[in-house]
Amino acid sequence: MKNIKKYILGIILIGLTIALAACGNQNKNEGDYTVSDVLNSKKTVPIIVTDSKDESEEDHVVWAGYIGQGKVKAMFLDGTNYGFGYKDLKKLSDEKYNESLIDMGKDYEPNPFKYVTAKGKTVLKPNWKSEDNDEDKAEAVTLKFMKKGNDSRYGGVRDAMNNAVYSKIVEKEDNDKWATIKSEQGDSDTSGYEMHIKLGEGKENNLKLEDVKETKKKYNNIEVDNNSYN
């Protein structure tokens, strides 16, 4: 009987050790959804990218629109004089949100900005911050607007979207419907970019960085960049 009790106690201790180790390795800010999950979701949800380093306006919106169904529907808004930032937009209903973006685009002169739509892709970067040769966990992600050509309607959105690299998940309040992932690119033009996606209330409805193998199995519209950026 004593041997059986020792055996059971040993199993419990091993299980507890494994559980604690797993908790220690998990980012407490992460939720249940990757950017690839959101891009390939069956429904589209609002998305806003802001530039925290823009000195002209707090919560300055670079581009905004919708993501889902393998596509990005975006409106380039950098350079417009709308006086209406992310904190204002996130309070609106989905209908008012769409109306506000259209109105903001109209403020651009001489030609108003309008929505443009293209297929999307995510680029996963396992070696963005470290040189640990762990190719299974992405340390950063880029969302790409897959529209080629020199059409000026797409240029602003494509450049702003494709050049930004996001690597820091922001802790989410339970009653906040918007999840945020930040760029930490040093002196890059997109170093202050923050991507906000409306995923719903609850900390589980937050973003997380990708498990590379799992994402490759689930989706075709991804690319893995194994280069080191240190």
Side-chain angles (χ1 to χ4, degrees), residues 11-205:
I11 292 175
I12 292 172
L13 290 173
I14 291 171
L16 181 59
T17 301
I18 292 172
L20 289 173
C23 290
N25 290 331
Q26 185 177 3
N27 184 338
K28 67 176 182 178
N29 295 339
E30 290 191 341
D32 294 340
Y33 302 98
T34 66
V35 176
S36 297
D37 290 334
V38 181
L39 174 62
N40 291 286
S41 62
K42 292 182 179 180
K43 66 175 184 178
T44 60
V45 294
I47 180 172
I48 301 171
V49 170
T50 58
D51 185 358
S52 63
K53 294 186 177 180
D54 189 286
E55 297 179 355
S56 64
E57 178 186 40
E58 188 177 357
D59 297 320
H60 179 75
V61 180
V62 178
W63 65 268
Y66 298 88
I67 181 174
Q69 300 177 347
K71 299 179 291 186
V72 183
K73 178 181 177 182
M75 186 181 300
F76 186 67
L77 294 168
D78 202 14
T80 56
N81 298 313
Y82 42 78
F84 205 69
Y86 163 64
K87 290 182 180 178
D88 300 304
L89 287 169
K90 68 181 293 187
K91 298 175 184 177
L92 303 177
S93 66
D94 289 347
E95 182 180 0
K96 291 294 184 181
Y97 167 81
N98 182 56
E99 292 176 358
S100 293
L101 292 188
I102 293 172
D103 288 341
M104 290 161 71
K106 290 178 180 178
D107 284 344
Y108 188 77
E109 296 179 354
N111 299 313
F113 285 133
K114 296 180 180 180
Y115 281 120
V116 292
T117 304
K119 291 182 179 180
K121 179 170 78 170
T122 53
V123 182
L124 315 184
K125 300 176 182 289
N127 300 314
W128 179 251
K129 294 181 179 179
S130 66
E131 296 178 352
D132 56 8
N133 294 319
D134 183 359
E135 309 297 343
D136 294 336
K137 179 70 173 179
E139 297 178 341
V141 61
T142 291
L143 176 65
K144 298 195 76 171
F145 192 77
M146 302 304 292
K147 194 75 174 182
K148 298 180 180 179
N150 298 319
D151 194 320
S152 59
R153 292 178 299 168
Y154 306 112
V157 166
R158 184 175 56 216
D159 291 345
M161 195 180 302
N162 294 10
N163 292 329
V165 181
Y166 300 94
S167 58
K168 183 179 180 180
I169 307 292
V170 176
E171 185 175 3
K172 186 172 180 284
E173 299 295 331
D174 273 330
N175 61 350
D176 194 346
K177 295 181 179 180
W178 291 77
T180 299
I181 183 170
K182 294 183 177 182
S183 172
E184 297 178 304
Q185 290 180 262
D187 294 330
S188 167
D189 290 340
T190 60
S191 63
Y193 279 22
E194 299 180 2
M195 182 190 293
H196 315 277
I197 302 176
K198 192 175 183 181
L199 297 181
E201 294 183 355
K203 291 188 177 182
E204 71 279 4
N205 290 319

